[in-house]
Every structure is written in structure tokens, then in C-alpha cells.
Amino acid sequence: MKEEKILEALEAFVKPIVEKCINQALSKEPASALKDPEQFITLQTAEKEFGCKDYMLRKAINNNELSYYQPGRRLFVKRGEVAAWIQSIKVIAKDQPQDYSFLNK
């Protein structure tokens, strides 16, 4: 009897937690949608996904380095274009050989 009451109490405690976790997992977007390079995302989403700041994205937009879409008040960018822009601002490592022959002239 005592064991049954403990099991019932444990089930009553654990069941809502498990249901909540399952519902949260099912309500999220599928992983394939998150990796779609043609998907429009907000600047805030790009900031979270790519680790860059809002002002960097806005500066790239103002310098015509990044295309944007503005159907209303919010700015949208394509996920693939943000990834391409980040790759385009790559800084060359110091240990890679560079051509400084123009300095010797």
C-alpha cells in the first residue's frame, strides 16, 4: 500500500513535466527548415544563429553588402546570404603566406 501511494505521487509529479517537455519538442520547427538557405529570417534570428551583432548586419545592409527585404517595419534577410556575407569578411591568418612584393618597389 505504501509503495503504491509513493508510485502514484511520483507519477503525478513526473507526468506533467514529461508532457510539457514532449509538447515543447513537438512545437518547435523541424530541423530541415532551420537549415534552409532560402528561408527569410529576421535580423534578431540571424544574430542568434550566426553570433553577429545587429549593428554589423545593419552596417552590411547600408553598405550594400547584404540584401534585405522589408515587407513591413521589420527587416528580413535570407539565411544563406548572411552565411555567405560572413564568409566574405574572412580575415587572412598571419601564418598564411601573403604577397607584400609591392612594398619593395
Side-chain angles (χ1 to χ4, degrees):
M1 276 255 213
K2 190 176 182 182
E3 291 175 1
E4 290 177 12
K5 288 184 178 181
I6 293 173
L7 286 175
E8 288 176 9
L10 184 61
E11 183 181 350
F13 178 74
V14 172
K15 189 175 180 178
I17 295 171
V18 171
E19 287 176 352
K20 181 180 176 184
C21 291
I22 290 172
N23 288 334
Q24 284 179 347
L26 292 176
S27 68
K28 292 186 178 181
E29 294 181 39
S32 61
L34 295 176
K35 296 180 182 178
D36 181 14
E38 293 298 313
Q39 183 181 13
F40 291 102
I41 57 175
T42 62
L43 295 185
Q44 291 76 23
T45 303
E47 191 175 352
K48 290 176 187 172
E49 285 187 24
F50 294 100
C52 55
K53 297 294 181 184
D54 183 68
Y55 75 89
M56 293 172 60
L57 295 167
R58 291 181 184 277
K59 184 178 177 182
I61 288 170
N62 288 337
N63 292 338
N64 294 323
E65 297 171 3
L66 187 61
S67 300
Y68 72 99
Y69 308 86
Q70 191 173 13
R73 294 185 63 180
R74 298 175 79 181
L75 296 177
F76 292 88
V77 290
K78 286 188 177 181
R79 178 177 280 112
E81 290 179 7
V82 174
W85 171 73
I86 289 174
Q87 289 176 349
S88 74
I89 57 174
K90 174 184 170 185
V91 177
I92 298 174
K94 291 183 179 180
D95 61 344
Q96 291 181 356
Q98 299 176 7
D99 181 26
Y100 291 114
S101 61
F102 63 91
L103 294 174
N104 296 330
K105 293 181 181 179

